[in-house]
Amino acid sequence: MPEIPLNLDGTGMRIGIAVSTFNESVTGGLLDGARQALASAGVDDPTVVEAPGAIELPLLAKVLIEAGHDAVVALGAVILG
């Protein structure tokens, strides 16, 4: 798949990350990738909050937005089996 060049500038933005601790072997990698992507876009020190599972992520996203974050990334993994 070809890479799409993006010129993203998140300098000065307050970004929140809500991440599920369930399936942490998966969500930990997602969190690392999100932090790297945000850092490459100039976002300093995103706020990371943990949820026990994916079902709580929308509520945490709402709380982060209401707390003044410009955007929220929600990371969860629901794996059957």
Side-chain angles (χ1 to χ4, degrees), residues 14-22 27 31 47-76:
R14 289 188 60 207
I15 306 296
I17 301 174
V19 60
S20 170
T21 58
F22 189 75
T27 60
L31 179 58
T47 302
V48 177
V49 292
E50 294 180 344
I55 195 84
E56 294 86 5
L57 292 176
L59 178 59
L60 284 179
K62 181 180 183 221
V63 169
L64 287 165
I65 291 294
E66 289 174 349
H69 289 79
D70 298 307
V72 175
V73 177
L75 304 172

Side-chain angles (χ1 to χ4, degrees), residues 13-40:
M13 292 187 74
R14 289 188 60 207
I15 306 296
I17 301 174
V19 60
S20 170
T21 58
F22 189 75
N23 289 322
E24 194 167 10
S25 61
V26 175
T27 60
L30 294 172
L31 179 58
D32 291 342
R35 283 182 165 157
Q36 289 173 8
L38 290 170
S40 71

